[in-house]
Amino acid sequence: MESLALVFSSGWASGVNAYLVVLVLGIADRVGGYDQIPNVLGNPAVLAIAGALYAMEFIADKIPAIDSTWDAISTAIRPTTGAIIGVLIAGDADSLNGAVAAVVGGGTALASHAVKMGGRLAINNSPEPVTNILASTAEDVVVLAVVWFAIEHPVIAASIAATLLVLGLAFLWFAIRLIRRGWARRKARRAGLAAPSAGASPPGRG
């Protein structure tokens, strides 16, 4: 149960920032030697690669428009990372537990990634970069807190991650509705402006 809870929490966090999740789990393994964390995540080479990629994401994720491109590229990476971490935590890729962990980790990461990507598209409608920077920084802090907390209290952390996921999906649903309404209003205004000019009679000849 605790392993599955850790898989769920790390999966949710991977959908937001996969490289930071690998860093947090890897550092925790090297510092604390936690049994539930796979030793491979604490490998210096893995930590170095994750650190370099996180540094790139830290910058790209805070620049409007570029962050959306980065999210699009990460559509395959984040869910895959969540699934791999899930299998590693389960400890046996050939077992039913490994398959369940892969589905839970990858599926949760895909859902949280969709929330992140949709939220960023909505935020990027604003031309100023401050909102984008604040959102990215808040995501990093929450991911760090949830994953670190999940190492010691996996069930409680999974409950927090589930709550954040539900709230994120609700926000995404409302954002999509607002965007659709905005598009409908724009189309109506354009149609209203085009109607008088289309029905106007040509000027008479003197």
Side-chain angles (χ1 to χ4, degrees):
M1 183 64 183
E2 290 186 350
S3 295
L4 191 60
L6 180 58
V7 169
F8 183 90
S9 299
S10 61
W12 172 85
S14 295
V16 180
N17 195 321
Y19 308 122
L20 182 57
V21 174
V22 175
L23 274 176
V24 174
L25 292 176
I27 292 173
D29 177 68
R30 293 191 65 85
V31 173
Y34 295 95
D35 294 334
Q36 68 271 35
I37 300 177
N39 293 331
V40 66
L41 296 178
N43 185 288
V46 174
L47 290 175
I49 294 173
L53 292 173
Y54 172 65
M56 294 173 59
E57 178 156 337
F58 183 84
I59 297 173
D61 200 47
K62 293 171 176 59
I63 303 175
I66 293 181
D67 68 328
S68 295
T69 302
W70 186 271
D71 285 339
I73 296 173
S74 301
T75 299
I77 298 174
R78 290 170 182 164
T80 301
T81 302
I84 291 174
I85 292 176
V87 172
L88 290 174
I89 292 175
D92 188 358
D94 295 330
S95 67
L96 178 61
N97 289 338
V100 171
V103 172
V104 171
T108 307
L110 180 61
S112 61
H113 168 72
V115 171
K116 174 187 171 72
M117 191 172 182
R120 286 308 184 83
L121 289 173
I123 290 175
N124 285 341
N125 287 327
S126 174
E128 49 84 22
V130 177
T131 304
N132 193 285
I133 294 173
L134 291 175
S136 177
T137 303
E139 289 169 356
D140 290 348
V141 172
V142 173
V143 166
L144 175 62
V146 168
V147 176
W148 195 266
F149 190 68
I151 296 172
E152 294 286 352
H153 309 282
V155 177
I156 299 176
S159 300
I160 295 173
T163 301
L164 293 173
L165 181 60
V166 171
L167 291 175
L169 291 172
F171 166 78
L172 183 60
W173 183 74
F174 281 111
I176 292 174
R177 289 193 62 183
L178 289 175
I179 292 173
R180 285 181 176 178
R181 288 181 181 178
W183 286 346
R185 290 175 182 173
R186 289 180 183 178
K187 289 181 180 180
R189 289 177 183 175
R190 290 177 182 177
L193 292 174
S197 59
S201 58
R205 297 180 180 178

